Amino acid sequence: MKRQPYRSMPPENAVGRRDFLKAGGAIGAGLVLTGRSLLAAQQAQGQQPPAKPAGPPPKPKTNIEDALKVPKTKWSLPGPFPGRVVEVHDPAAMPEGKVDAAVVKAMFEKGIRGLTGKSLEKSFGLFFTKSDVVGLKVNPVGPGLISTRLELVDAVIDWLTSCGLPRRNVIIWDRFDYMLKDAGFTPERYPGVGIEGLQTMDEAAAIAASEGKAADNSKWLNADGTHVSVPNFDQEVFYWADVEGPKDLPYLNQHVFNGKFSYFGKLLTKKLTKIVNLPVFKNTGNAISMATKNIGYGAVCNTNRLHQPLFLDVCVEVPAFWPVRDKMVLNVTDGLRSQYDGGPDKNAKFAYIDNRLYFASDPFALDMVCHTRIVAKRKEMGVAVNENPRFTNYLRYAETLGLGVADPAKIAHVKV
Amino acid sequence: MSRSDGRRERGRRGRRFAPAAPAVILAAALAAAAAGQTARPSAPIPDPGFAPGWAASGPPRTFTGQDLFNQIDGGAELFLEFGFFRLRLQAYAKGGAELTLNAYEMESAQAALGVYLMKKGRETPFPEIAARNSSEEVQATVLKGRYFIQVDNLGEVPASKAELAALANMFLAGVADEPAPSPLDLLPAAGRVAGSERLIRGPFGLQPYITLGEGDILSLGGRVFGALAEYRVPGGVAFTRLIVPYPGPEAAAAALARLRAGLDPYLKVTAERPEGFDFIDFQARKGSVALSGPNLDLRFNVTD
């Protein structure tokens, strides 16, 4: 497969976290700098910002070629319905801001039938077998406002189990265990269903470190200096990028590893046989943070280092690896309550009840449809939006890799 | 390194760039704010006595500097760009109701204003809250001094508006009022769309409006705040205007040269002048850049 030289969205901030830490290393171990402080540090050392831009910084090298070498399977992206996106709207889904579970369940079932053109039971067979172990990748950020609705997860579980999948073969998962709990994904709420964070993070230690206090790292840091969640990641399966992770302990606490490797969770490589991706309809800056970002930044560790130099590329290149490409068979974007600005964190000023769910086996077509919709919503609400193609180039990049469809002319956006 | 070391770095920066009149004011204010921040204790997190029946829910959480990524992974850049110092969170509960105070301590009042303008949306204030705010039942967004504050009301049962306001006000009582000198006054009033004003301190803030080039293409350097607003003028012409006050004419000229040299490939130059240039964007909308003393005056997204 030919690939064009590409970068989806060059970094627009000249000073990245990596640079902060490099500068920190130059003027004092353990120094944590903001961008402004870095500038001050440069000045203190007699340096001045460059007089002229050096041109677009080259995209850091990655091991995307390794991903492409692995032969595809019958389950591989873009799945059985490339370029097909089904949108279900029911104004009764969120009366007075509260979810009507029965309506959401009906919307879900309508969406599945609309996507496949088949009954729920036959649709199940297009994506799963009864022996599969199915991971539901939720987005727990912004609980109470814009995290994945519990009732949508209920609808997915009901469908899977009604078609013969044992309840114990369903696992709700995300990167962080504490975020799942905060968002209501608890064993009490979902009896018999697995709930797994790929990693833990000791917030108390993070807080102490950030306050300059002596941190008790014993709950997350082993005596040999490794994170207790290291065994949760598969060091044989990784996304490599020529970008070092910061070496400070708070970063390690949050990211488990801090080198150039972002390992896939063993949950994905060893346990799950299928994945259903359940992102939320929201923005991140001028771009979107939906299907491809939910999985791209959710499936691997050591991701903060990637935001700056590879931001949207990660949304393509991580899903190109077999643990996602060959297992993520279905995506349902939760647009019951959506957010068109102020994301990816919750921001009530820009959140609105939209009563929609979006279905696709092809996450890139899905994101293109949702990107178009969020642009329209921002315009409708008088919020600035930059339609520079660089913010969707990553979706076209995915199309060149054969992972999905990004050309609007080839996308079938069906409203049912 | 202690936090106070960080404050000193910022103070040093403020003193270094202050040759031109507006910049003198800005830099002096920044330096004063930074210096004051070193000496002044942070506003206290309220105890649960802000309203009857409330109790703290969990310990307070603090995120300093880059640790903000731990709280809003993917959303921290804007805060860091404007000059972020520390976020403190405290949740409170009463039965099924929960209120969470998110107190973002910025490096200056101007930095806090910059974030607030980006986050406020259409400004809908609760008069019960004793500071500038833009609020909904589920979240209050508040500005005072160097604090950008959000109070979330996202429990299973909503807290009352009075309880939300009481929490906000108890925190605000400990926050000092500080002037927020800004270049917004540089924006002409005629045709300016009320509520569209923004501060720009780097590429993340500018991102929703236009991509002018890579990185710090406007040479803001973390030192200079630009002022932006939407305009609609008689005849139906609409455009976005950004005025950036540099420390002096030389710095502005250098910024112009840098911008011209690194202009985004999606922008095509249609006319060149010694003091600027015109361009069209990928949607054939016009734009211009003009040097005016210590300022760069940019107009873009021009629609007839």
Side-chain angles (χ1 to χ4, degrees):
Chain A
M1 181 180 298
K2 272 191 173 180
R3 288 201 302 120
Q4 302 295 320
Y6 159 80
R7 70 169 303 116
S8 71
M9 194 178 88
E12 296 199 18
N13 190 341
V15 182
R17 178 177 177 132
R18 186 176 171 216
D19 298 319
F20 298 147
L21 272 293
K22 274 187 173 177
I27 60 175
L31 176 64
V32 177
L33 292 171
T34 67
R36 269 32 70 185
S37 302
L38 173 61
L39 187 71
Q42 289 173 332
Q43 290 158 3
Q45 296 173 83
Q47 301 172 13
Q48 290 296 320
K52 289 183 179 179
K59 173 185 168 183
K61 289 181 181 174
T62 72
N63 66 334
I64 181 62
E65 298 295 344
D66 291 344
L68 302 177
K69 287 176 188 169
V70 178
K72 286 187 171 184
T73 74
K74 66 176 284 194
W75 304 109
S76 295
L77 291 175
F81 305 103
R84 182 172 177 82
V85 179
V86 170
E87 176 184 334
V88 180
H89 177 228
D90 190 329
M94 295 273 288
E96 299 178 353
K98 300 292 183 187
V99 182
D100 185 324
V103 173
V104 169
K105 184 176 181 183
M107 290 172 71
F108 175 78
E109 293 174 354
K110 195 174 181 181
I112 293 294
R113 286 193 297 265
L115 177 64
T116 65
K118 298 181 184 302
S119 69
L120 290 176
E121 190 169 0
K122 286 183 177 173
S123 297
F124 177 90
L126 291 174
F127 302 116
F128 309 103
T129 68
K130 292 177 182 177
S131 61
D132 272 327
V133 178
V134 180
L136 310 184
K137 172 63 178 79
V138 297
N139 188 325
V141 178
L145 195 68
I146 53 163
S147 57
T148 305
R149 295 281 148 189
L150 306 188
E151 294 81 359
L152 173 60
V153 176
D154 289 336
V156 180
I157 294 172
D158 285 352
W159 173 48
L160 296 175
T161 55
S162 70
C163 292
L165 190 80
R167 196 169 173 86
R168 65 178 180 278
N169 283 17
V170 179
I171 298 174
I172 299 168
W173 68 279
D174 182 57
R175 276 274 300 283
F176 296 100
D177 50 8
Y178 73 96
M179 284 193 182
L180 286 167
K181 184 180 176 186
D182 287 351
F185 296 105
T186 63
E188 295 76 24
R189 178 65 175 75
Y190 294 95
V193 168
I195 297 172
E196 292 192 25
L198 296 188
Q199 65 165 99
T200 193
M201 172 183 157
D202 186 347
E203 285 194 280
I207 290 166
S210 70
E211 292 180 338
K213 298 174 184 171
D216 173 10
N217 294 315
S218 61
K219 290 179 182 168
W220 70 271
L221 188 65
N222 292 318
D224 64 0
T226 60
H227 195 293
V228 296
S229 294
V230 162
N232 296 0
F233 290 90
D234 190 335
Q235 295 185 50
E236 300 294 318
V237 188
F238 52 80
Y239 177 58
W240 177 90
D242 193 12
V243 182
E244 283 280 1
K247 303 305 180 195
D248 53 294
L249 283 176
Y251 185 90
L252 193 66
N253 183 3
Q254 187 190 9
H255 288 280
V256 186
F257 295 90
N258 54 11
K260 295 184 178 182
F261 293 83
S262 290
Y263 302 109
F264 283 82
K266 281 183 181 171
L267 179 69
L268 286 87
T269 63
K270 305 284 190 191
K271 194 168 182 178
L272 300 180
T273 55
K274 297 287 168 51
I275 296 168
V276 177
N277 188 22
L278 300 171
V280 174
F281 188 107
K282 62 178 179 177
N283 78 303
T284 177
N286 192 69
I288 62 169
S289 180
M290 300 194 207
T292 60
K293 189 160 184 283
N294 193 45
I295 196 70
Y297 279 86
V300 295
C301 62
N302 191 18
T303 54
N304 263 0
R305 70 190 175 102
L306 304 171
H307 270 102
Q308 187 58 44
L310 285 161
F311 187 38
L312 294 173
D313 301 82
V314 173
C315 303
V316 175
E317 296 194 344
V318 167
F321 282 81
W322 65 264
V324 175
R325 186 196 66 185
D326 301 345
K327 297 186 179 187
M328 193 172 77
V329 292
L330 181 63
N331 303 268
V332 184
T333 298
D334 180 347
L336 296 172
R337 178 182 269 125
S338 301
Q339 185 172 307
Y340 57 88
D341 198 13
D345 199 13
K346 61 184 181 296
N347 193 321
K349 290 300 299 184
F350 308 110
Y352 64 108
I353 293 171
D354 203 29
N355 296 308
R356 286 171 211 277
L357 296 174
Y358 303 83
F359 299 75
S361 68
D362 176 347
F364 300 98
L366 176 60
D367 271 3
M368 181 59 92
V369 166
C370 291
H371 182 96
T372 303
R373 181 163 176 80
I374 211 168
V375 166
K377 181 66 181 177
R378 287 169 70 106
K379 288 180 177 177
E380 175 192 335
M381 301 306 293
V383 171
V385 58
N386 180 350
E387 296 180 77
N388 191 307
R390 68 171 59 205
F391 294 101
T392 48
N393 277 348
Y394 72 108
L395 300 173
R396 288 179 278 278
Y397 173 41
E399 186 167 330
T400 68
L401 298 184
L403 297 170
V405 176
D407 181 352
K410 299 178 191 168
I411 292 174
H413 177 189
V414 180
K415 298 179 181 180
V416 298
Chain B
M1 178 171 162
S2 70
R3 288 193 298 272
S4 60
D5 292 328
R7 302 295 101 191
R8 283 200 295 273
E9 290 293 346
R10 281 186 276 272
R12 190 180 301 137
R13 185 188 68 230
R15 288 192 293 276
R16 192 181 182 94
F17 294 91
V24 167
I25 297 167
L26 288 179
L30 275 175
Q37 205 169 44
T38 306
R40 187 172 47 246
S42 296
I45 295 295
D47 64 39
F50 64 87
W54 286 84
S57 176
R61 295 191 289 166
T62 302
F63 302 89
T64 304
Q66 292 291 297
D67 293 336
L68 187 61
F69 280 104
N70 295 351
Q71 174 63 12
I72 45 174
D73 195 2
E77 290 89 345
L78 186 71
F79 287 90
L80 295 167
E81 180 171 281
F82 271 111
F84 169 76
F85 177 47
R86 182 166 61 172
L87 165 63
R88 287 178 294 156
L89 291 99
Q90 178 65 59
Y92 306 87
K94 186 178 83 169
E98 182 170 295
L99 290 169
T100 303
L101 173 73
N102 304 262
Y104 293 84
E105 187 175 350
M106 304 299 291
E107 69 177 31
S108 68
Q110 188 169 215
L113 174 62
V115 172
Y116 178 79
L117 293 176
M118 295 292 288
K119 300 283 188 181
K120 69 178 177 58
R122 187 174 64 84
E123 210 158 10
T124 51
F126 282 0
E128 298 90 336
I129 294 177
R132 184 175 180 182
N133 73 95
S134 182
S135 301
E136 308 284 335
E137 298 290 343
V138 296
Q139 189 178 54
T141 298
V142 188
L143 172 72
K144 186 176 181 186
R146 63 196 149 98
Y147 280 91
F148 170 77
I149 304 143
Q150 288 189 308
V151 181
D152 299 333
N153 181 9
L154 295 166
E156 292 174 13
V157 177
S160 71
K161 193 173 173 183
E163 290 169 320
L164 183 153
L167 173 57
N169 287 337
M170 182 171 274
F171 181 76
L172 291 168
V175 176
D177 258 327
E178 294 176 35
S182 79
L184 292 175
D185 291 343
L186 294 172
L187 294 165
R192 192 169 75 203
V193 177
S196 70
E197 299 86 355
R198 299 286 185 274
L199 293 178
I200 302 296
R201 204 184 189 187
F204 284 99
L206 190 59
Q207 192 184 82
Y209 295 93
I210 190 170
T211 302
L212 291 167
E214 302 290 344
D216 184 20
I217 189 67
L218 287 173
S219 306
L220 300 176
R223 308 181 296 274
V224 178
F225 283 84
L228 178 148
E230 307 285 354
Y231 281 81
R232 291 199 188 96
V233 297
V237 177
F239 57 90
T240 306
R241 188 168 184 181
L242 169 63
I243 299 178
V244 185
Y246 292 91
E250 287 184 3
L256 172 63
R258 178 176 177 168
L259 170 61
R260 178 64 188 88
L263 197 66
D264 187 82
Y266 286 105
L267 304 178
K268 302 299 178 195
V269 173
T270 55
E272 297 264 19
R273 297 179 297 278
E275 73 286 3
F277 59 92
D278 298 335
F279 62 86
I280 57 169
D281 69 15
F282 63 98
Q283 292 172 312
R285 294 177 300 184
K286 295 173 185 172
S288 65
V289 182
L291 188 61
S292 176
N295 298 339
L296 269 191
D297 188 345
L298 297 92
R299 300 178 195 215
F300 44 88
N301 300 340
V302 179
T303 54
D304 298 326

